[in-house]
PDB file of all heavy atoms in Angstrom:
ATOM      1  N   PRO A  84      12.351  14.764  -4.274  1.00  0.00           N
ATOM      2  CA  PRO A  84      13.656  14.313  -3.778  1.00  0.00           C
ATOM      3  C   PRO A  84      14.085  15.080  -2.531  1.00  0.00           C
ATOM      4  O   PRO A  84      13.911  16.302  -2.462  1.00  0.00           O
ATOM      5  CB  PRO A  84      14.586  14.602  -4.961  1.00  0.00           C
ATOM      6  CG  PRO A  84      13.704  14.551  -6.166  1.00  0.00           C
ATOM      7  CD  PRO A  84      12.363  15.044  -5.726  1.00  0.00           C
ATOM      8  N   GLY A  85      14.614  14.348  -1.562  1.00  0.00           N
ATOM      9  CA  GLY A  85      15.109  14.977  -0.331  1.00  0.00           C
ATOM     10  C   GLY A  85      14.063  15.053   0.772  1.00  0.00           C
ATOM     11  O   GLY A  85      14.404  15.322   1.920  1.00  0.00           O
ATOM     12  N   MET A  86      12.800  14.838   0.436  1.00  0.00           N
ATOM     13  CA  MET A  86      11.742  14.893   1.462  1.00  0.00           C
ATOM     14  C   MET A  86      11.520  13.524   2.098  1.00  0.00           C
ATOM     15  O   MET A  86      11.824  12.495   1.495  1.00  0.00           O
ATOM     16  CB  MET A  86      10.395  15.313   0.840  1.00  0.00           C
ATOM     17  CG  MET A  86      10.315  16.752   0.393  1.00  0.00           C
ATOM     18  SD  MET A  86       8.746  17.033  -0.470  1.00  0.00           S
ATOM     19  CE  MET A  86       7.576  17.098   0.882  1.00  0.00           C
ATOM     20  N   THR A  87      10.926  13.508   3.289  1.00  0.00           N
ATOM     21  CA  THR A  87      10.441  12.253   3.867  1.00  0.00           C
ATOM     22  C   THR A  87       8.942  12.165   3.582  1.00  0.00           C
ATOM     23  O   THR A  87       8.300  13.177   3.280  1.00  0.00           O
ATOM     24  CB  THR A  87      10.632  12.214   5.399  1.00  0.00           C
ATOM     25  OG1 THR A  87       9.801  13.232   5.978  1.00  0.00           O
ATOM     26  CG2 THR A  87      12.086  12.433   5.780  1.00  0.00           C
ATOM     27  N   ARG A  88       8.391  10.961   3.733  1.00  0.00           N
ATOM     28  CA  ARG A  88       6.938  10.799   3.563  1.00  0.00           C
ATOM     29  C   ARG A  88       6.189  11.580   4.650  1.00  0.00           C
ATOM     30  O   ARG A  88       5.107  12.101   4.409  1.00  0.00           O
ATOM     31  CB  ARG A  88       6.553   9.321   3.640  1.00  0.00           C
ATOM     32  CG  ARG A  88       7.153   8.450   2.532  1.00  0.00           C
ATOM     33  CD  ARG A  88       6.784   7.003   2.775  1.00  0.00           C
ATOM     34  NE  ARG A  88       7.327   6.080   1.794  1.00  0.00           N
ATOM     35  CZ  ARG A  88       8.529   5.503   1.867  1.00  0.00           C
ATOM     36  NH1 ARG A  88       9.345   5.783   2.873  1.00  0.00           N
ATOM     37  NH2 ARG A  88       8.919   4.645   0.937  1.00  0.00           N
ATOM     38  N   GLU A  89       6.805  11.635   5.840  1.00  0.00           N
ATOM     39  CA  GLU A  89       6.138  12.271   6.988  1.00  0.00           C
ATOM     40  C   GLU A  89       5.867  13.759   6.723  1.00  0.00           C
ATOM     41  O   GLU A  89       4.903  14.322   7.250  1.00  0.00           O
ATOM     42  CB  GLU A  89       6.989  12.108   8.258  1.00  0.00           C
ATOM     43  CG  GLU A  89       7.022  10.688   8.819  1.00  0.00           C
ATOM     44  CD  GLU A  89       7.867   9.710   8.004  1.00  0.00           C
ATOM     45  OE1 GLU A  89       8.691  10.147   7.164  1.00  0.00           O
ATOM     46  OE2 GLU A  89       7.699   8.489   8.189  1.00  0.00           O
ATOM     47  N   GLU A  90       6.693  14.377   5.888  1.00  0.00           N
ATOM     48  CA  GLU A  90       6.505  15.807   5.596  1.00  0.00           C
ATOM     49  C   GLU A  90       5.227  16.078   4.812  1.00  0.00           C
ATOM     50  O   GLU A  90       4.837  17.234   4.652  1.00  0.00           O
ATOM     51  CB  GLU A  90       7.714  16.348   4.812  1.00  0.00           C
ATOM     52  CG  GLU A  90       8.963  16.498   5.643  1.00  0.00           C
ATOM     53  CD  GLU A  90      10.165  16.904   4.790  1.00  0.00           C
ATOM     54  OE1 GLU A  90      10.178  18.016   4.253  1.00  0.00           O
ATOM     55  OE2 GLU A  90      11.078  16.072   4.656  1.00  0.00           O
ATOM     56  N   LEU A  91       4.585  15.042   4.289  1.00  0.00           N
ATOM     57  CA  LEU A  91       3.361  15.227   3.485  1.00  0.00           C
ATOM     58  C   LEU A  91       2.111  15.337   4.352  1.00  0.00           C
ATOM     59  O   LEU A  91       1.023  15.640   3.851  1.00  0.00           O
ATOM     60  CB  LEU A  91       3.196  14.049   2.500  1.00  0.00           C
ATOM     61  CG  LEU A  91       4.398  13.783   1.585  1.00  0.00           C
ATOM     62  CD1 LEU A  91       4.163  12.501   0.782  1.00  0.00           C
ATOM     63  CD2 LEU A  91       4.639  14.947   0.642  1.00  0.00           C
ATOM     64  N   ILE A  92       2.268  15.112   5.656  1.00  0.00           N
ATOM     65  CA  ILE A  92       1.095  14.998   6.530  1.00  0.00           C
ATOM     66  C   ILE A  92       0.222  16.258   6.513  1.00  0.00           C
ATOM     67  O   ILE A  92      -1.012  16.160   6.491  1.00  0.00           O
ATOM     68  CB  ILE A  92       1.504  14.611   7.979  1.00  0.00           C
ATOM     69  CG1 ILE A  92       0.279  14.244   8.806  1.00  0.00           C
ATOM     70  CG2 ILE A  92       2.300  15.708   8.647  1.00  0.00           C
ATOM     71  CD1 ILE A  92       0.609  13.666  10.171  1.00  0.00           C
ATOM     72  N   GLY A  93       0.833  17.429   6.488  1.00  0.00           N
ATOM     73  CA  GLY A  93       0.085  18.689   6.589  1.00  0.00           C
ATOM     74  C   GLY A  93      -0.969  18.817   5.505  1.00  0.00           C
ATOM     75  O   GLY A  93      -2.094  19.251   5.771  1.00  0.00           O
ATOM     76  N   ILE A  94      -0.633  18.433   4.281  1.00  0.00           N
ATOM     77  CA  ILE A  94      -1.593  18.535   3.171  1.00  0.00           C
ATOM     78  C   ILE A  94      -2.444  17.268   3.067  1.00  0.00           C
ATOM     79  O   ILE A  94      -3.659  17.322   2.918  1.00  0.00           O
ATOM     80  CB  ILE A  94      -0.843  18.799   1.847  1.00  0.00           C
ATOM     81  CG1 ILE A  94      -0.211  20.207   1.917  1.00  0.00           C
ATOM     82  CG2 ILE A  94      -1.792  18.684   0.634  1.00  0.00           C
ATOM     83  CD1 ILE A  94       0.550  20.635   0.711  1.00  0.00           C
ATOM     84  N   ASN A  95      -1.811  16.103   3.183  1.00  0.00           N
ATOM     85  CA  ASN A  95      -2.543  14.868   2.891  1.00  0.00           C
ATOM     86  C   ASN A  95      -3.576  14.472   3.950  1.00  0.00           C
ATOM     87  O   ASN A  95      -4.590  13.837   3.625  1.00  0.00           O
ATOM     88  CB  ASN A  95      -1.560  13.724   2.630  1.00  0.00           C
ATOM     89  CG  ASN A  95      -0.876  13.887   1.274  1.00  0.00           C
ATOM     90  OD1 ASN A  95      -1.229  14.785   0.509  1.00  0.00           O
ATOM     91  ND2 ASN A  95       0.081  13.034   0.965  1.00  0.00           N
ATOM     92  N   ALA A  96      -3.362  14.863   5.200  1.00  0.00           N
ATOM     93  CA  ALA A  96      -4.333  14.468   6.247  1.00  0.00           C
ATOM     94  C   ALA A  96      -5.722  15.034   5.930  1.00  0.00           C
ATOM     95  O   ALA A  96      -6.727  14.313   6.012  1.00  0.00           O
ATOM     96  CB  ALA A  96      -3.853  14.922   7.620  1.00  0.00           C
ATOM     97  N   GLY A  97      -5.789  16.297   5.560  1.00  0.00           N
ATOM     98  CA  GLY A  97      -7.082  16.923   5.251  1.00  0.00           C
ATOM     99  C   GLY A  97      -7.742  16.250   4.054  1.00  0.00           C
ATOM    100  O   GLY A  97      -8.957  16.000   4.050  1.00  0.00           O
ATOM    101  N   ILE A  98      -6.930  15.922   3.048  1.00  0.00           N
ATOM    102  CA  ILE A  98      -7.470  15.294   1.824  1.00  0.00           C
ATOM    103  C   ILE A  98      -8.011  13.902   2.145  1.00  0.00           C
ATOM    104  O   ILE A  98      -9.126  13.541   1.759  1.00  0.00           O
ATOM    105  CB  ILE A  98      -6.364  15.220   0.728  1.00  0.00           C
ATOM    106  CG1 ILE A  98      -5.978  16.636   0.278  1.00  0.00           C
ATOM    107  CG2 ILE A  98      -6.825  14.367  -0.457  1.00  0.00           C
ATOM    108  CD1 ILE A  98      -4.794  16.690  -0.695  1.00  0.00           C
ATOM    109  N   VAL A  99      -7.231  13.122   2.877  1.00  0.00           N
ATOM    110  CA  VAL A  99      -7.639  11.735   3.181  1.00  0.00           C
ATOM    111  C   VAL A  99      -8.905  11.720   4.050  1.00  0.00           C
ATOM    112  O   VAL A  99      -9.813  10.905   3.836  1.00  0.00           O
ATOM    113  CB  VAL A  99      -6.471  10.966   3.848  1.00  0.00           C
ATOM    114  CG1 VAL A  99      -6.930   9.643   4.423  1.00  0.00           C
ATOM    115  CG2 VAL A  99      -5.343  10.757   2.844  1.00  0.00           C
ATOM    116  N   LYS A 100      -8.992  12.647   4.991  1.00  0.00           N
ATOM    117  CA  LYS A 100     -10.166  12.703   5.873  1.00  0.00           C
ATOM    118  C   LYS A 100     -11.426  13.017   5.051  1.00  0.00           C
ATOM    119  O   LYS A 100     -12.454  12.345   5.197  1.00  0.00           O
ATOM    120  CB  LYS A 100      -9.927  13.782   6.941  1.00  0.00           C
ATOM    121  CG  LYS A 100     -10.930  13.781   8.050  1.00  0.00           C
ATOM    122  CD  LYS A 100     -10.527  14.750   9.141  1.00  0.00           C
ATOM    123  CE  LYS A 100     -11.677  14.928  10.113  1.00  0.00           C
ATOM    124  NZ  LYS A 100     -11.446  15.994  11.053  1.00  0.00           N
ATOM    125  N   GLU A 101     -11.314  13.993   4.186  1.00  0.00           N
ATOM    126  CA  GLU A 101     -12.473  14.417   3.375  1.00  0.00           C
ATOM    127  C   GLU A 101     -12.868  13.320   2.371  1.00  0.00           C
ATOM    128  O   GLU A 101     -14.046  12.987   2.229  1.00  0.00           O
ATOM    129  CB  GLU A 101     -12.106  15.704   2.642  1.00  0.00           C
ATOM    130  CG  GLU A 101     -13.243  16.330   1.856  1.00  0.00           C
ATOM    131  CD  GLU A 101     -12.746  17.432   0.915  1.00  0.00           C
ATOM    132  OE1 GLU A 101     -11.837  18.194   1.289  1.00  0.00           O
ATOM    133  OE2 GLU A 101     -13.284  17.499  -0.202  1.00  0.00           O
ATOM    134  N   VAL A 102     -11.877  12.747   1.722  1.00  0.00           N
ATOM    135  CA  VAL A 102     -12.149  11.728   0.697  1.00  0.00           C
ATOM    136  C   VAL A 102     -12.780  10.482   1.333  1.00  0.00           C
ATOM    137  O   VAL A 102     -13.765   9.929   0.806  1.00  0.00           O
ATOM    138  CB  VAL A 102     -10.832  11.375  -0.051  1.00  0.00           C
ATOM    139  CG1 VAL A 102     -10.966  10.077  -0.825  1.00  0.00           C
ATOM    140  CG2 VAL A 102     -10.436  12.516  -0.973  1.00  0.00           C
ATOM    141  N   SER A 103     -12.270  10.044   2.483  1.00  0.00           N
ATOM    142  CA  SER A 103     -12.826   8.833   3.098  1.00  0.00           C
ATOM    143  C   SER A 103     -14.280   9.075   3.537  1.00  0.00           C
ATOM    144  O   SER A 103     -15.141   8.203   3.364  1.00  0.00           O
ATOM    145  CB  SER A 103     -11.957   8.327   4.246  1.00  0.00           C
ATOM    146  OG  SER A 103     -11.693   9.347   5.165  1.00  0.00           O
ATOM    147  N   ALA A 104     -14.561  10.283   4.054  1.00  0.00           N
ATOM    148  CA  ALA A 104     -15.952  10.593   4.456  1.00  0.00           C
ATOM    149  C   ALA A 104     -16.874  10.582   3.235  1.00  0.00           C
ATOM    150  O   ALA A 104     -17.978  10.006   3.286  1.00  0.00           O
ATOM    151  CB  ALA A 104     -15.995  11.953   5.148  1.00  0.00           C
ATOM    152  N   ASN A 105     -16.433  11.167   2.135  1.00  0.00           N
ATOM    153  CA  ASN A 105     -17.245  11.179   0.902  1.00  0.00           C
ATOM    154  C   ASN A 105     -17.505   9.768   0.377  1.00  0.00           C
ATOM    155  O   ASN A 105     -18.610   9.435  -0.057  1.00  0.00           O
ATOM    156  CB  ASN A 105     -16.540  11.987  -0.200  1.00  0.00           C
ATOM    157  CG  ASN A 105     -16.668  13.478   0.032  1.00  0.00           C
ATOM    158  OD1 ASN A 105     -17.620  13.936   0.655  1.00  0.00           O
ATOM    159  ND2 ASN A 105     -15.706  14.233  -0.461  1.00  0.00           N
ATOM    160  N   LEU A 106     -16.478   8.934   0.438  1.00  0.00           N
ATOM    161  CA  LEU A 106     -16.633   7.558  -0.067  1.00  0.00           C
ATOM    162  C   LEU A 106     -17.678   6.798   0.751  1.00  0.00           C
ATOM    163  O   LEU A 106     -18.558   6.127   0.203  1.00  0.00           O
ATOM    164  CB  LEU A 106     -15.288   6.824  -0.007  1.00  0.00           C
ATOM    165  CG  LEU A 106     -14.263   7.218  -1.080  1.00  0.00           C
ATOM    166  CD1 LEU A 106     -12.883   6.691  -0.731  1.00  0.00           C
ATOM    167  CD2 LEU A 106     -14.713   6.695  -2.452  1.00  0.00           C
ATOM    168  N   ILE A 107     -17.579   6.929   2.083  1.00  0.00           N
ATOM    169  CA  ILE A 107     -18.464   6.156   2.960  1.00  0.00           C
ATOM    170  C   ILE A 107     -19.912   6.633   2.862  1.00  0.00           C
ATOM    171  O   ILE A 107     -20.851   5.829   2.961  1.00  0.00           O
ATOM    172  CB  ILE A 107     -17.930   6.214   4.409  1.00  0.00           C
ATOM    173  CG1 ILE A 107     -16.599   5.438   4.469  1.00  0.00           C
ATOM    174  CG2 ILE A 107     -18.919   5.632   5.400  1.00  0.00           C
ATOM    175  CD1 ILE A 107     -15.782   5.736   5.685  1.00  0.00           C
ATOM    176  N   LYS A 108     -20.083   7.931   2.594  1.00  0.00           N
ATOM    177  CA  LYS A 108     -21.445   8.478   2.431  1.00  0.00           C
ATOM    178  C   LYS A 108     -22.192   7.727   1.318  1.00  0.00           C
ATOM    179  O   LYS A 108     -23.366   7.437   1.431  1.00  0.00           O
ATOM    180  CB  LYS A 108     -21.328   9.965   2.068  1.00  0.00           C
ATOM    181  CG  LYS A 108     -22.499  10.810   2.516  1.00  0.00           C
ATOM    182  CD  LYS A 108     -22.325  12.278   2.114  1.00  0.00           C
ATOM    183  CE  LYS A 108     -21.173  12.968   2.827  1.00  0.00           C
ATOM    184  NZ  LYS A 108     -20.854  14.283   2.218  1.00  0.00           N
ATOM    185  N   HIS A 109     -21.484   7.386   0.264  1.00  0.00           N
ATOM    186  CA  HIS A 109     -22.131   6.747  -0.892  1.00  0.00           C
ATOM    187  C   HIS A 109     -21.957   5.228  -0.900  1.00  0.00           C
ATOM    188  O   HIS A 109     -22.643   4.541  -1.663  1.00  0.00           O
ATOM    189  CB  HIS A 109     -21.596   7.360  -2.187  1.00  0.00           C
ATOM    190  CG  HIS A 109     -21.966   8.806  -2.345  1.00  0.00           C
ATOM    191  ND1 HIS A 109     -23.144   9.205  -2.933  1.00  0.00           N
ATOM    192  CD2 HIS A 109     -21.343   9.924  -1.931  1.00  0.00           C
ATOM    193  CE1 HIS A 109     -23.216  10.525  -2.890  1.00  0.00           C
ATOM    194  NE2 HIS A 109     -22.142  10.990  -2.291  1.00  0.00           N
ATOM    195  N   SER A 110     -21.044   4.709  -0.102  1.00  0.00           N
ATOM    196  CA  SER A 110     -20.784   3.252  -0.060  1.00  0.00           C
ATOM    197  C   SER A 110     -20.528   2.831   1.381  1.00  0.00           C
ATOM    198  O   SER A 110     -19.380   2.593   1.789  1.00  0.00           O
ATOM    199  CB  SER A 110     -19.561   2.897  -0.913  1.00  0.00           C
ATOM    200  OG  SER A 110     -19.692   3.355  -2.224  1.00  0.00           O
ATOM    201  N   PRO A 111     -21.593   2.736   2.194  1.00  0.00           N
ATOM    202  CA  PRO A 111     -21.382   2.471   3.629  1.00  0.00           C
ATOM    203  C   PRO A 111     -20.717   1.128   3.925  1.00  0.00           C
ATOM    204  O   PRO A 111     -20.146   0.951   5.008  1.00  0.00           O
ATOM    205  CB  PRO A 111     -22.808   2.533   4.209  1.00  0.00           C
ATOM    206  CG  PRO A 111     -23.744   2.536   3.049  1.00  0.00           C
ATOM    207  CD  PRO A 111     -23.000   2.972   1.834  1.00  0.00           C
ATOM    208  N   ASN A 112     -20.760   0.191   2.983  1.00  0.00           N
ATOM    209  CA  ASN A 112     -20.156  -1.128   3.244  1.00  0.00           C
ATOM    210  C   ASN A 112     -18.799  -1.317   2.574  1.00  0.00           C
ATOM    211  O   ASN A 112     -18.308  -2.435   2.438  1.00  0.00           O
ATOM    212  CB  ASN A 112     -21.103  -2.228   2.767  1.00  0.00           C
ATOM    213  CG  ASN A 112     -22.407  -2.180   3.540  1.00  0.00           C
ATOM    214  OD1 ASN A 112     -22.389  -2.014   4.764  1.00  0.00           O
ATOM    215  ND2 ASN A 112     -23.525  -2.273   2.837  1.00  0.00           N
ATOM    216  N   VAL A 113     -18.219  -0.203   2.151  1.00  0.00           N
ATOM    217  CA  VAL A 113     -16.970  -0.288   1.382  1.00  0.00           C
ATOM    218  C   VAL A 113     -15.795  -0.776   2.239  1.00  0.00           C
ATOM    219  O   VAL A 113     -15.770  -0.575   3.459  1.00  0.00           O
ATOM    220  CB  VAL A 113     -16.655   1.122   0.782  1.00  0.00           C
ATOM    221  CG1 VAL A 113     -16.197   2.102   1.862  1.00  0.00           C
ATOM    222  CG2 VAL A 113     -15.668   1.042  -0.350  1.00  0.00           C
ATOM    223  N   THR A 114     -14.826  -1.411   1.602  1.00  0.00           N
ATOM    224  CA  THR A 114     -13.525  -1.689   2.227  1.00  0.00           C
ATOM    225  C   THR A 114     -12.537  -0.679   1.661  1.00  0.00           C
ATOM    226  O   THR A 114     -12.416  -0.552   0.432  1.00  0.00           O
ATOM    227  CB  THR A 114     -13.054  -3.126   1.910  1.00  0.00           C
ATOM    228  OG1 THR A 114     -13.979  -4.039   2.494  1.00  0.00           O
ATOM    229  CG2 THR A 114     -11.667  -3.388   2.473  1.00  0.00           C
ATOM    230  N   LEU A 115     -11.862   0.056   2.540  1.00  0.00           N
ATOM    231  CA  LEU A 115     -10.951   1.118   2.101  1.00  0.00           C
ATOM    232  C   LEU A 115      -9.504   0.645   2.132  1.00  0.00           C
ATOM    233  O   LEU A 115      -9.064   0.049   3.119  1.00  0.00           O
ATOM    234  CB  LEU A 115     -11.074   2.340   3.019  1.00  0.00           C
ATOM    235  CG  LEU A 115     -12.377   3.139   2.971  1.00  0.00           C
ATOM    236  CD1 LEU A 115     -12.294   4.320   3.934  1.00  0.00           C
ATOM    237  CD2 LEU A 115     -12.640   3.653   1.556  1.00  0.00           C
ATOM    238  N   ILE A 116      -8.783   0.954   1.074  1.00  0.00           N
ATOM    239  CA  ILE A 116      -7.336   0.701   1.045  1.00  0.00           C
ATOM    240  C   ILE A 116      -6.646   2.063   0.963  1.00  0.00           C
ATOM    241  O   ILE A 116      -6.849   2.818   0.007  1.00  0.00           O
ATOM    242  CB  ILE A 116      -6.936  -0.192  -0.144  1.00  0.00           C
ATOM    243  CG1 ILE A 116      -7.673  -1.531  -0.083  1.00  0.00           C
ATOM    244  CG2 ILE A 116      -5.420  -0.392  -0.166  1.00  0.00           C
ATOM    245  CD1 ILE A 116      -7.382  -2.475  -1.231  1.00  0.00           C
ATOM    246  N   VAL A 117      -5.869   2.382   1.983  1.00  0.00           N
ATOM    247  CA  VAL A 117      -5.223   3.690   2.074  1.00  0.00           C
ATOM    248  C   VAL A 117      -3.802   3.597   1.513  1.00  0.00           C
ATOM    249  O   VAL A 117      -3.022   2.719   1.924  1.00  0.00           O
ATOM    250  CB  VAL A 117      -5.177   4.166   3.545  1.00  0.00           C
ATOM    251  CG1 VAL A 117      -4.528   5.541   3.649  1.00  0.00           C
ATOM    252  CG2 VAL A 117      -6.582   4.179   4.151  1.00  0.00           C
ATOM    253  N   VAL A 118      -3.495   4.504   0.591  1.00  0.00           N
ATOM    254  CA  VAL A 118      -2.179   4.510  -0.051  1.00  0.00           C
ATOM    255  C   VAL A 118      -1.439   5.835   0.208  1.00  0.00           C
ATOM    256  O   VAL A 118      -0.215   5.855   0.358  1.00  0.00           O
ATOM    257  CB  VAL A 118      -2.328   4.273  -1.583  1.00  0.00           C
ATOM    258  CG1 VAL A 118      -0.971   4.269  -2.277  1.00  0.00           C
ATOM    259  CG2 VAL A 118      -3.066   2.958  -1.855  1.00  0.00           C
ATOM    260  N   SER A 119      -2.183   6.927   0.303  1.00  0.00           N
ATOM    261  CA  SER A 119      -1.579   8.260   0.466  1.00  0.00           C
ATOM    262  C   SER A 119      -0.633   8.277   1.666  1.00  0.00           C
ATOM    263  O   SER A 119      -0.915   7.661   2.701  1.00  0.00           O
ATOM    264  CB  SER A 119      -2.674   9.312   0.664  1.00  0.00           C
ATOM    265  OG  SER A 119      -3.661   9.195  -0.331  1.00  0.00           O
TER     266      SER A 119
END
Side-chain angles (χ1 to χ4, degrees):
M86 290 174 76
T87 65
R88 297 176 181 88
E89 288 73 16
E90 287 174 67
L91 305 174
I92 191 172
I94 293 180
N95 287 354
I98 294 174
V99 169
K100 190 173 169 189
E101 185 192 322
V102 164
S103 52
N105 283 333
L106 285 166
I107 292 163
K108 209 180 294 168
H109 294 272
S110 305
N112 298 316
V113 72
T114 296
L115 292 181
I116 302 178
V117 181
V118 180
S119 310

